[in-house]
Structure formats: structure tokens, C-alpha cells
Amino acid sequence: MAPKLNLFEWCGKETPQGTPVIVKMENPSFSVVEIGGADAAFKPVEKSRLKNAKQVRWILLLKANRAAGFLAWLAAAAWGLLAAVRKRRGAAAATEKLGKGKLMLRVIKLLLFAALAALALEAAAHFKGFEKGMFQSIYAAWLELRRRYIAPFIQSLSMLCVALFMIQSLDRLILFLGCFYIKFKKIKPTIIENSFRSHDDYPMVLVQIPMCNEREVYEMSISAVCQLDWPKDRFLIQVLDDSDDEVIQCMVKNEVSRWRESGVNIVYRHRLVRTGYKAGNLNSAMSCDYVKDYEFVAIFDADFQPAPDFLKLTVPHFEGKPEVGLVQTRWAFVNKDENLLTRLQNINLCFHFEVEQQVNGAFLNFFGFNGTAGVWRIKALEDSGGWLDRTTVEDMDIAVRAHLNGWSFIYLNDVKVLCEVPESFETYRKQQHRWHSGPMQLFRLCLPAVLKSKISIWKKANLIFLFFLLRKLILPFYSFTLFCVVLPITMFIPEAELPMWIICYVPVLMTFINIFPAPKSLPFIAPYLLFENTMSVTKFSAMVSGLFQLGSSYEWIVTKKAGRSSETDLLATADRDTKPLIESNVSLLEEGKGKGVKKTNKIYRKELALAFLLLTAAVRSLMSAHGLHFYFLLFQGFTFLLVGLDLIGEQMS
């Protein structure tokens, strides 16, 4: 018999009492586990006894694997960023579209290189410890240059921007109080009761639907307009199609023919030469001989869906008011909750309609026409010179000229027309470029007419200083300069530090005012604040191009629609008596959509990164107070490098 192994004797310990139990396992990591007495399992185990060599090795391997994974993620992210920049650069070289973005590209490069140079100098000063030698002389010269020349200039520029910021904030506050007063007093436009008692009392109304290659939404718009509750012999629908795609032309023609066969008074117009864009399209339609038989014209863009009672809620406001030339209604958005971008747009547009348009309409009887979802008195259009294509904001142009000719406007905040907002950033940016370059074009063209007009001095001052200068020029200028130039520069120029109430308190207060008309968007207040500051780059560039008549200011790009509302509306309409019409057109629509591009929602990292850049710049003073300035500066410089590279690639594309 083999001798018994007693590990306790070898260790010089007493043999415990009890019957030993030996447990053997397949492929054990250790050979024998011995449990002594009955209470041995409940005795505390020393932690050091569990740390054998194999366990330590596995722990180290696990940590090494995590570190390798993190490094691999960083390498993949950096490689993806560089690949995106190279791809955009190649696409720009292939399409030769670099010319229009050269100025902004140079500005971004200049700011990027200056920031990186300042960062490198600060890093060298931190690690070198201000040792004697050439470096100390260079750093001392940089500090002297910064104190004498750079800091005073930045401080003066920041004070100018702060003054403009406070003026614009005061304007926003007054508009907000005016909106509150309207709500408190329940001020609303009034109409004459029972305006249309008989069939002959209904005025003749022309309805126009201008469109261009609106594959996704043409059917939805035509369907909604054809169901307006108005005597069929008292209104005419004009489908003004500027499409250059023959397939879309045939689809629109087919849709118009189907509604005409069902008894709707509707016509299809197509121009062979698309001159003047939307203004040229509308002007061409107004030149038809039969237009003289109509008194009013309602305009709807291709993605707008008026309710059946739209005309009955708007046209009566003209009765007994011969001075009224326009009745504008509010927009409502079917896709406002589609993604973060649409939610942020909803905040801006809700403030525009709920506050700006309503206050200006109630107290001044003037506001900018929104280009759609409004009814014009045709006499007012003719008296003001009709539609002109001299700018990319033909709607604002006709509104200003009508105002100078003495016509007044009415805004109906309670009448809403469904539409959609852009769901992709590229589309939204192009739309904002047109919306911010056009007003500066118009300002240069109409300023002499404003000064020579016979309207009151107060109306002239409101038109020049508030409508154009403050809200169209000063707003994008100070927003870009203060929050996208001065604020990041102060990270490297501590002598020109901004006060905390400018960086934090006032912007937050103004953001709460802006978000007031859309209280459900309150959880998105932080992204909204940052995103608006980053969008000021696009708005400022557009404002400059319009003011100085650069080439990009004359670009009129149709805003692409996703058509997300069309399918649900068509299905809802299919349950009514027009079911055969709609179902047949759904098949055509789906057939045409097969040739299109699949709709996707994107997260735009460069805009969020730039927003994060501004956020970290705003809290720099707090970190500096706790001795973390250099480490913050290092992290900030790395972030600025990534954002700059991405923006350079974006500009080159």
C-alpha cells in the first residue's frame, strides 16, 4: 500500500481531526483539495492564498487585452477620420467644386494652425519648466506679443460682440413679452360673421402648387389641395411643375388627370425653360389670361398639406378689409420627432411662428412672407410688381415691396398647415444658406426704395434696423464671431477672458426664451444651444456671400423632402371615397421610388464635436481655477485638431 500523503506534517502543523475528503477533477489546475473538519468550510480564507501565479497571469492578460482593444479602437477611429478626409478631398478634386469654399477653407486652416502652434508652445513651456535658453526668450516674446497686441484686439472684438449680443437679446426679450401679452389678452384677428351666405358670395380663388422633381411628395400635396372645402366652380388649382425628370413629369400629369376626371378644376403647367426658379415659375403662372377672373391666390409648396377648411379659415379675413394684402398661416411639422436635427429645427421654427410672426403681425401688420401656406390678394401682387427673381428669397422680396406700397398683413397662429423639415444635415445646411444669403441680397437692392418710400419713419426704422440689420446681419455676425472665434481663442489668450455671464447666464436665458413656444423640447436645450452656435458658421458664411454678392449667393437649390408623411396620408385618404385613385397612384409612387436613394438618418459627428469644443471652452475658467488649465488645454487642442481636420474635409467636398 502506498504511503499516505499528509501535507500538514510537511508544513510542520498538527494533523486536523476528522476524515479527509479528496476531490479529483479532470484537467485540474491543482491536484488535491483537502477539506478538514466539519467547520473548515466556514472559516475565513486569506485573500493572499487565492492569488496564485496562474490567476495573476490571467488578470494581467485580461488587462492587456482591454488596453489593446482600446488602442485598436483609437487607431481605427483615427484611420477612419483620415480616410474620410482623403475621400472627400478626392471627390472634391474630381468634381472641381473646391473654388466656392476656398475662403472658408483658408479661414479654418488659419485658425487650426494658429491654435496648434499656441498649443505646442504652451505644452513645451509646461514640460520644459521655463529653463533658461533660447526657448525662454521665444516664450517670453510670445507672452509680450500676446499681452500688447493680440489680447487688446481680441478684447475689443469681444466687447463689440457682447454689445451686439445684448441688443439682440433685448429684441428677443421684447418679442417674448409681446407674445405673452397677446396670449394674456387673447388678441386674435377677427372676421365678419357669415361672410359667405350664398354660393355667389364665395370669391374666386386660385390655388398654386409650385414643384420641381418632387417625387416623394407630389401626390400628397395634390391630394390635400384637391380636397379643399370650397365650391368647385369657384376655385382653380394650378400644378406648376418645373421638373426636368420625364418620369416625374408623367407621374404628376397622371395624378392631375385622375383628379380632373373626378370633377376637380385642376390644370397642369410645365415650363420648358426653368428661368427664375420658383419666382419665375409663379410669375409665369400669373401671366395666364384666366387669372384676371380670380381675386385671391393661395400658394402651397409640394410638401404642404392644407386641411379641407383652409380657405374658409383664411379668405374671410379679407372681407371688409381692402388694405389687407396677405393672410399667412402657421406651419406644423409631421416629422419633427424623426431625429435630433428635426427636433432642433422645430424649436427654431416654433419661435419664429409663435413669437416673431405673431407679434409683428399683431402690432406692426407686417412680417416676412414664408413663401407658402398663405393667401395673397392678387391686386396686392400686381400693385407691388409681381414675382421677381432678383434674389433667392422671392417671398421676402414681394412682402417688403407690398409693405412699402401700403398693404397690411394678417398672421393666423391657430391655422396650421402640415409640412416637413429637412431630415439630413446637407439639405438643412443648403436651405439655411439660401435663407441667410437672400435677405442680404434683398437689403442691398431694396434699401434705396425703403428710404424713398412714403411709409412712416417708424416703419422705415423697423424695416432697416430690426427686420434686416439686427435679425438678418447682426445675429449671424455676433453669433459666429463671439462663440466660434473669440470664445475658443480665449483658451490660448487668458488675458482676454470673457465674463461668465456672457458665456453662460445670458445664452442660457435666451435659449429658454427660444424654447418657450416648444416646451416639449426642453430636454434638448443643451444640444440646441450648442448646435445653434455651430450652425452660425454656415449662417455667417451665407450672410457674407449675400452681402457682397459672391457666387454662392445666387444658388437656388430645391430642398429635398423625405416624403415620410406621404405614405401615412395616402393610406388615410385611401379609406375615403377616393380609394381607387390613391391606391393606383401609390403603386406608381413606389415604382418611382425604387430608382431613388434609400433614406437614412445620420449622426453628424463634426457638428457635435464642434459643439463640444464650444462647451469645453465655456468651462475653461472653472478648470483653470482648480489648476487643471494645462490638461484641459491639451485635451482641447486634440479636440480642435479632429474638428478642424473634419471641417477641412467637409469644405473640400
Side-chain angles (χ1 to χ4, degrees), residues 119-131 135 139 142 630:
L119 174 63
L121 196 60
E122 292 290 339
H126 178 81
F127 288 112
K128 205 165 182 64
F130 299 98
E131 294 179 359
F135 173 75
Y139 188 71
W142 158 246
F630 170 74

Side-chain angles (χ1 to χ4, degrees), residues 61-329:
L61 287 175
L62 180 60
K63 291 183 177 181
N65 181 59
R66 290 178 179 176
F70 179 71
L71 293 176
W73 177 82
L74 284 180
W79 180 258
L81 179 62
L82 294 176
V85 173
R86 286 196 300 267
K87 183 179 179 181
R88 292 172 178 174
R89 183 178 303 169
T95 56
E96 297 182 356
K97 294 182 179 179
L98 182 60
K100 64 180 181 180
K102 281 185 177 179
L103 180 60
M104 184 59 68
L105 176 61
R106 290 171 181 171
V107 172
I108 293 175
K109 282 184 176 180
L110 180 62
L111 292 176
L112 175 62
F113 292 150
L116 291 178
L119 174 63
L121 196 60
E122 292 290 339
H126 178 81
F127 288 112
K128 205 165 182 64
F130 299 98
E131 294 179 359
K132 295 181 179 180
M134 184 178 64
F135 173 75
Q136 184 183 16
S137 302
I138 294 175
Y139 188 71
W142 158 246
L143 292 180
E144 184 67 16
L145 176 66
R146 193 172 71 185
R147 183 183 64 83
R148 276 195 170 189
Y149 302 103
I150 301 179
F153 172 74
I154 297 299
Q155 194 70 37
S156 302
L157 182 61
S158 64
M159 290 301 101
L160 173 63
C161 293
V162 167
L164 297 177
F165 179 36
M166 296 308 298
I167 294 173
Q168 198 271 338
S169 299
L170 181 62
D171 174 61
R172 287 282 170 125
L173 181 60
I174 293 175
L175 288 174
F176 172 75
L177 295 177
C179 179
F180 182 78
Y181 180 81
I182 291 173
K183 296 291 185 182
F184 180 74
K185 292 292 185 178
K186 298 181 180 180
I187 300 175
K188 292 183 180 181
T190 58
I191 60 174
I192 301 175
E193 296 293 336
N194 301 321
S195 300
F196 310 134
R197 297 182 180 181
S198 64
H199 178 273
D200 295 335
D201 290 336
Y202 286 85
M204 298 288 287
V205 178
L206 182 68
V207 182
Q208 296 178 334
I209 312 175
M211 61 176 63
C212 180
N213 297 326
E214 304 286 1
R215 180 191 299 270
E216 292 82 5
V217 295
Y218 77 93
E219 189 175 9
M220 169 192 67
S221 178
I222 295 175
S223 173
V225 171
C226 288
Q227 298 178 60
L228 289 173
D229 186 10
W230 201 258
K232 292 185 178 181
D233 60 336
R234 308 296 290 180
F235 84 110
L236 170 68
I237 301 173
Q238 286 182 318
V239 178
L240 312 177
D241 186 19
D242 264 4
S243 302
D244 54 9
D245 189 328
E246 293 183 359
V247 175
I248 299 178
Q249 292 179 25
C250 293
M251 295 169 69
V252 177
K253 285 181 183 178
N254 189 27
E255 179 70 10
V256 171
S257 299
R258 292 176 181 276
W259 282 104
R260 187 187 300 116
E261 292 173 0
S262 67
V264 178
N265 193 11
I266 183 172
V267 296
Y268 174 86
R269 281 180 54 86
H270 175 73
R271 298 189 301 162
L272 297 178
V273 180
R274 189 189 171 212
T275 58
Y277 304 108
K278 181 180 176 181
N281 197 3
L282 294 173
N283 193 45
S284 174
M286 295 299 294
S287 64
C288 297
D289 294 335
Y290 54 78
V291 172
K292 64 178 182 296
D293 299 328
Y294 294 85
E295 186 177 357
F296 304 103
V297 56
I299 303 173
F300 300 100
D301 283 350
D303 60 314
F304 279 71
Q305 310 166 67
D309 60 349
F310 176 84
L311 294 178
K312 289 187 175 180
L313 294 175
T314 55
V315 175
H317 286 276
F318 291 97
E319 294 296 315
K321 304 172 185 176
E323 76 283 356
V324 175
L326 167 67
V327 174
Q328 174 71 60
T329 61

Side-chain angles (χ1 to χ4, degrees), residues 25 58 73 94 197 243 263-264 291 295 303 360 389 431 508 518 523 566 611 619 645:
M25 303 176 60
W58 280 109
W73 177 82
R197 297 182 180 181
S243 302
V264 178
V291 172
E295 186 177 357
D303 60 314
N360 291 328
D389 59 356
Q431 180 196 70
V508 169
S566 59
V619 300
L645 289 174

